[in-house]
Amino acid sequence: MNAIRHTLTQLGNAVTRRLTRLGVASRFFIYLLWHSGTAFQRFRLTIREVYFAGVLSLIIILVSGLFVGMVLGLQGYDTLQRYGSSEALGVLVALSLVRELGPVVAGLLFASRAGSAITAEIGLMKATEQISAMEMMAVDPIARVVAPRFWAGVISMPLLAALFSAMGIFGGYLVGVQLIGVDPGAFWSQMQAAVDIRQDVMNGVIKSVVFGIAVTWIAVFEGYDAPPTAEGVSGATTRTVVTGSLAILALDFMLTALMFTGGNAK
Amino acid sequence: MNRSMIDLWVGVFVAMGLIALLFLSLKVGNLASFSTAESYQIQANFANIGGLKVRAPIKSAGVVVGRVTDVRFDNESFEAVVTLNIDSRFQFPKDTAAKILTSGLLGEQYIGLEAGGDPTMIKNGDRLKLTQSAVVLENLISQFMFNKAQEGKDSK
């Protein structure tokens, strides 16, 4: 009897703790949005963070995009040529990149490359009491430190996802047309006929904006919420990557279900 | 890293991102065909639309001239009412026939328009009179079987 009671108490405790944390994170998010005026008034702060979150992620995004596209080209060709429709390679590569892989893989890379850096930086600022020092000087650390990083992430993420998709399509073109010898005219024209601006490209951009918001929100919150110890910062960095990646996958499923079933269910 | 270098790199990054977006919309998706340009809508009734979907292409002589924008069921005539959105650059005579065709053996279904000889052109909101339904494989097979059975009876 006691054991059951103990388990139930633990379960309840775990649920309440998570819910409380979610509530704190939501209030933090609202406060952040409310105080992000500085991030735009002193836009230089945000530009600096775009450099750290976006520009420094370029290499990994471009290289992964190229290779994902090349692998899609090889694998797609292998399957499609069995059905004698290797000209549809462009459609396969473009649709899978623009709709899914571009936003999702770019988001996962962004979470591990830029999200972890944001968390570690803010966490360390807190551990070395730079945040408290700002508060002493009557500078709002959320407006001065957190908001520019948040907006930089939100700005960078769609651009990175677009670069990933474009690079991937280029990789698919390299392998499909240059290496294997699919007809370039069919490759591009079938792609253009099948990819719809609003349905595919726009939805991909919307997805990447949503992922950008989610990942950077998690990153800045984990950093700001981290216990001010070395262990705390390392734990927060890990949580950013894990929670951020899981959030991307869950959100992707929900967004896909919303965006791409409406037309077909008719 | 000084200020102007950061600015330069961020500028390069944003420009690259925008170029990628432009590439996706112009070269990958066809922005040119996604014209908010003038179009007109006509309707056509079909006894059976088979697997026709919204956004299926409408072709005349093999050229895409529009898209299907709506498919619904008319509960009075018990027929499918298909709304066709056709680019205003293309005008068709009033007695144009609409057929539901399949591209390739197992490909997607589209609407084929065959122009008639009527001197008056079709207008926005008009209804096509001559339509031909989708070919349903089961019906085709049962027809074939029925004909074979008939032949067998006649030869006796």
Side-chain angles (χ1 to χ4, degrees):
Chain A
M1 196 60 205
N2 236 347
I4 296 174
R5 192 192 156 124
H6 183 67
T7 329
L8 282 179
T9 316
Q10 267 190 338
L11 179 69
N13 187 12
V15 171
T16 6
R17 221 174 17 193
R18 297 242 152 76
L19 279 180
T20 315
R21 212 169 137 70
L22 189 65
V24 174
S26 309
R27 282 184 57 187
F28 178 80
F29 186 54
I30 291 165
Y31 188 88
L32 165 65
L33 291 184
W34 200 247
H35 289 83
S36 34
T38 327
F40 292 100
Q41 274 165 12
R42 298 175 60 187
F43 200 62
R44 185 155 292 282
L45 291 175
T46 311
I47 288 182
R48 215 181 100 86
E49 298 309 326
V50 171
Y51 177 79
F52 288 116
V55 178
L56 295 184
S57 311
L58 266 182
I59 300 287
I60 189 166
I61 291 283
L62 291 182
V63 174
S64 333
L66 185 68
F67 276 88
V68 166
M70 295 203 302
V71 168
L72 271 179
L74 280 177
Q75 292 282 10
Y77 178 79
D78 189 50
T79 310
L80 285 175
Q81 55 102 16
R82 283 186 211 180
Y83 304 101
S85 50
S86 54
E87 286 77 23
L89 186 65
V91 181
L92 178 105
V93 171
L95 278 187
S96 41
L97 276 167
V98 169
R99 281 185 179 180
E100 291 295 334
L101 288 176
V104 171
V105 179
L108 293 176
L109 289 172
F110 184 76
S112 33
R113 165 64 188 77
S116 59
I118 292 173
T119 309
E121 199 183 3
I122 298 179
L124 213 62
M125 283 175 110
K126 201 181 167 195
T128 52
E129 296 182 338
Q130 293 179 44
I131 302 259
S132 324
M134 277 184 190
E135 275 167 354
M136 296 282 279
M137 293 188 288
V139 176
D140 186 354
I142 293 196
R144 176 67 178 71
V145 172
V146 174
R149 283 171 176 71
F150 174 76
W151 286 109
V154 175
I155 293 169
S156 307
M157 186 52 218
L159 297 175
L160 289 174
L163 280 167
F164 187 96
S165 302
M167 214 51 201
I169 290 163
F170 179 66
Y173 168 79
L174 275 187
V175 166
V177 176
Q178 303 294 340
L179 195 72
I180 299 177
V182 174
D183 181 50
F187 185 87
W188 291 114
S189 69
Q190 292 222 6
M191 188 192 293
Q192 288 177 354
V195 178
D196 187 71
I197 297 286
R198 207 169 26 190
Q199 189 77 23
D200 301 318
V201 178
M202 269 310 288
N203 278 352
V205 172
I206 292 172
K207 270 186 178 177
S208 58
V209 172
V210 173
F211 297 165
I213 293 173
V215 166
T216 351
W217 171 27
I218 291 170
V220 290
F221 175 70
E222 288 289 358
Y224 202 77
D225 192 52
T229 57
E231 207 180 11
V233 174
S234 89
T237 314
T238 315
R239 272 204 304 279
T240 296
V241 177
V242 174
T243 324
S245 310
L246 290 179
I248 286 176
L249 295 174
L251 280 173
D252 180 52
F253 177 75
M254 284 193 263
L255 287 176
T256 307
L258 277 179
M259 287 168 174
F260 294 110
T261 47
N264 293 345
K266 241 184 169 177
Chain B
M1 180 75 61
N2 60 11
R3 251 181 185 189
S4 59
M5 272 313 268
I6 288 184
D7 283 0
L8 175 67
W9 274 108
V10 170
V12 169
F13 166 60
V14 173
M16 275 170 71
L18 292 180
I19 289 171
L21 271 180
L22 211 67
F23 167 78
L24 289 182
S25 13
L26 289 178
K27 185 82 185 171
V28 176
N30 204 350
L31 194 65
S33 77
F34 172 73
S35 50
T36 43
E38 302 287 293
S39 64
Y40 60 97
Q41 304 211 320
I42 53 176
Q43 294 192 317
N45 286 17
F46 290 96
N48 191 332
I49 59 162
L52 190 76
K53 296 251 165 51
V54 173
R55 290 199 2 87
I58 300 162
K59 297 183 186 177
S60 187
V63 180
V64 177
V65 295
R67 301 245 167 226
V68 172
T69 51
D70 186 38
V71 176
R72 68 199 160 74
F73 184 68
D74 182 2
N75 211 0
E76 277 165 24
S77 62
F78 301 106
E79 281 183 327
V81 181
V82 177
T83 310
L84 316 177
N85 201 10
I86 297 177
D87 199 313
S88 303
R89 284 176 299 169
F90 309 112
Q91 299 287 333
F92 289 94
K94 243 188 147 81
D95 59 348
T96 296
K99 291 178 179 175
I100 297 184
L101 303 167
T102 311
S103 53
L105 194 59
L106 297 164
E108 58 164 359
Q109 286 187 307
Y110 65 96
I111 293 189
L113 293 183
E114 251 168 58
D118 201 297
T120 52
M121 291 294 162
I122 206 156
K123 291 192 309 292
N124 190 24
D126 279 358
R127 189 170 284 252
L128 290 178
K129 304 231 165 40
L130 297 167
T131 62
Q132 184 186 314
S133 291
V135 174
V136 179
L137 207 58
E138 285 89 335
N139 292 352
L140 214 63
I141 292 172
S142 68
Q143 235 167 30
F144 174 73
M145 302 278 264
F146 184 72
N147 283 351
K148 276 285 166 205
Q150 282 292 101
E151 269 174 34
K153 216 179 278 172
D154 291 344
S155 63
K156 257 180 205 170

